[in-house]
Every structure is written in structure tokens, then in C-alpha cells.
Amino acid sequence: MTVRTVLACLAVGALVAGASPSRSGAGTLERRGFASPALGRDIPALVYRPAAADGPMPVLYLLHGYGGGEQDWSNAGVVATADAVFAEPDAVPLLIVMPGVGNSWYVDSERYGNWGRAIAVDLPAAVDAAYPTEAQRSGRFAAGLSMGGYGALRLGVRHADRFRAAAALSPAIFEDVEDAGAFPDFQIEFFAGAFGEPLDPVAFNGRNVFAALAAIGQPATGRPSDFYLMTGDHDSFGLWRGTLRFFQAARRAGHAAELRVHDGDHDWRLWRDELAPVLRWVGAVVRADRAAGR
């Protein structure tokens, strides 16, 4: 499957999904630009603001995949899904921030700039300044699909002092490698120079999530992080392998980890269907922390 074919499939999926119109009194969707000193420019984003929020809100940073942008989750119906979930009994309304990062892989790189710092540090600071948020680790969460799943786990692992938990849907994650030959040519094409041109294994491993996973938790934050993972059992890129390995590694390191394996490929049907469970899972983490006085 070529990059062009995959991008076409993703575009069709987003168009088919469509954004459902909000009901009266439901959440609102805003287009914003957030200043990033690390990039020297604004980060484009869509922001869903729930109608039911009362006081400071937890924030979910919802990340797009390769070839996508800040509009992807909106096209996939995030407003209607969030409205429905946040209307449920005991729901925890979330501010949902959907940034557009191009094909940066959410890392600092020579080709794309300092997107790692921009997403981990600059964006939360700007969001906290613009909205009534719970501006601390317990109120920050990340989730994403494919490349965005990698980005979400990276925030949860490498910035565990800033993010409470992370959810990854069909995440494009791989264990550390000894040389670029560990990847098929199409995957190196998808990396799009974010880890060096040609791909540099040292740069890839230095920005990866597996080795760092065992180091986070009690020493850094006072308690382990939580992770939610979903993969399709027929994923065209075999990304279920990395998902299962991350799940095992997280459990071994003492972190709470949930795993869902669904019948399906690397496509929007799975990601749309899994958004509501992710929102409920984030809400459950928040409720548990509040009940424990954290």
C-alpha cells in the first residue's frame, strides 16, 4: 500500500464521517492559533468547548495522523460524539484541543522544527492562558490515531510530569532499532524525514517511547501513568505488533494499561467508534483521582 493510497483512504474516511451539527446548548467548536516560542509561529488548532463545563476543565489533546490536520477529528464527528458522552450521568466534560502539526511526528527535528517542545510545553501553556483549565498534570491528557497515537504516547511517556495519561488508537509505534533496515521502505517514507534524512536510528531511538517507559512513574510524578491502547487485528501496516508490545511493557513497568483489539484495518471506522470509549476512560481516570484526593 503506497502513501498516496493511504492518504486517499483517510480523506475518504473523513468525508464519509462528516461532522454532525450540534444540538441547541451543546458544545462549541472554535478555530484558534496558539503562540509557540519553540516554533516561532502559531500552532493552528480546533478547540471543542463543552456546554456542561462548570469551573476549570481537564483538557484532552487529540492528535491527528500522518497526512492529516487539525480538522480531521472534527470531520470524524468529534462534536456529536463528545456532546453525547458528556451528557451521560457522571460524565466529566473535557476541553478538547486538536492541533495541526503536519507530518512532524510530534518531535523536534531539523526538517520540521521543534514540534516536540511546541506540543508538550507551548501548546498547554497557551491553552491554559486562554481557557479555564485544570492547569496541572492531573488535568492534562493526550490521545491520537496512528502518527498521533505515537505522539500521544510520547507525551504520556516522555512528559509524564505534564500529562496524566495517554490513549493511542492504531499507534504507529516500534521498538528501538539497530539500523534503518529494520523498517520496510514504505514506513521510512511515512517517517518523512522527522528522524533524519536518511533515517538515523540514533535519532529515532532517542525520541522513541519504549526505553523511556520503564523510567517514568513513581520517581517522576509520585504515581504511575495510565494508558489506553486500541488496534485493529487486520492493520495493514502490522501496527498491532507495537501496540501489544507497548501494552506488555507498560504493565511490566507498573502502569495501568487497557488494551482493545477490534476486527478491522487501519481506518476511520475503528477510530470514530473508539472515540467515545476514550472520552469515558479519561473521565474515569479523572473521577478516580478526585475520589482519591489527587
Side-chain angles (χ1 to χ4, degrees):
M1 185 179 290
T2 66
V3 172
R4 181 173 297 178
T5 301
V6 173
L7 293 181
C9 291
L10 293 179
V12 170
L15 291 171
V16 170
S20 301
S22 297
R23 303 179 306 280
S24 175
T28 58
L29 194 65
E30 306 168 0
R31 182 173 292 277
R32 296 291 300 262
F34 295 102
S36 169
L39 294 173
R41 60 185 175 86
D42 284 357
I43 301 171
L46 291 182
V47 179
Y48 167 89
R49 187 168 185 169
D54 182 18
M57 296 172 285
V59 183
L60 174 65
Y61 293 87
L62 188 57
L63 310 182
H64 67 79
Y66 180 91
E70 65 272 19
Q71 75 288 338
D72 283 14
W73 282 106
S74 173
N75 290 342
V78 68
V79 172
T81 299
D83 285 349
V85 170
F86 298 155
E88 295 171 356
D90 299 322
V92 176
L94 307 170
L95 188 77
I96 303 177
V97 179
M98 296 160 277
V101 309
N103 292 332
S104 68
W105 282 83
Y106 303 91
V107 301
D108 294 345
S109 69
E110 291 185 8
R111 178 164 184 178
Y112 298 103
N114 295 324
W115 275 104
R117 181 171 180 81
I119 293 297
V121 179
D122 296 349
L123 182 59
V127 169
D128 291 342
Y131 294 93
T133 66
E134 293 185 15
Q136 55 191 356
R137 176 185 187 259
S138 61
R140 293 194 194 102
F141 298 83
L145 67 91
S146 195
M147 181 188 80
Y150 169 86
L153 293 179
R154 195 171 187 279
L155 290 173
V157 171
R158 303 190 74 89
H159 298 279
D161 58 329
R162 295 176 177 273
F163 289 83
R164 172 66 179 85
L169 311 180
S170 308
I173 53 174
F174 311 87
E175 293 184 284
D176 290 358
V177 297
E178 293 185 0
D179 59 67
F183 296 111
D185 290 344
F186 73 80
Q187 184 57 58
I188 292 178
E189 186 177 356
F190 275 126
F191 286 143
F195 303 101
E197 297 180 281
L199 187 141
D200 179 0
V202 174
F204 178 83
N205 295 344
R207 299 163 191 169
N208 203 10
V209 295
F210 278 88
L213 182 60
I216 68 170
Q218 297 294 114
T221 66
R223 63 186 183 278
S225 300
D226 288 27
F227 298 100
Y228 183 107
L229 301 146
M230 186 282 295
T231 186
D233 59 353
H234 298 295
D235 190 293
S236 300
F237 306 105
L239 296 179
W240 53 267
R241 296 183 180 90
T243 305
L244 296 178
R245 288 168 182 163
F246 186 94
F247 171 72
Q248 293 170 323
R251 286 286 185 89
R252 285 196 302 268
H255 304 286
E258 296 288 331
L259 174 65
R260 305 288 183 270
V261 180
H262 294 310
D263 181 28
D265 202 338
H266 196 77
D267 59 47
W268 273 104
R269 180 182 65 82
L270 292 184
W271 306 328
R272 288 195 306 271
D273 289 350
E274 202 66 17
L275 179 57
V278 166
L279 297 179
R280 296 186 186 106
W281 172 77
V282 172
V285 173
V286 173
R287 289 195 302 271
D289 282 356
R290 289 174 177 173
R294 295 195 286 259

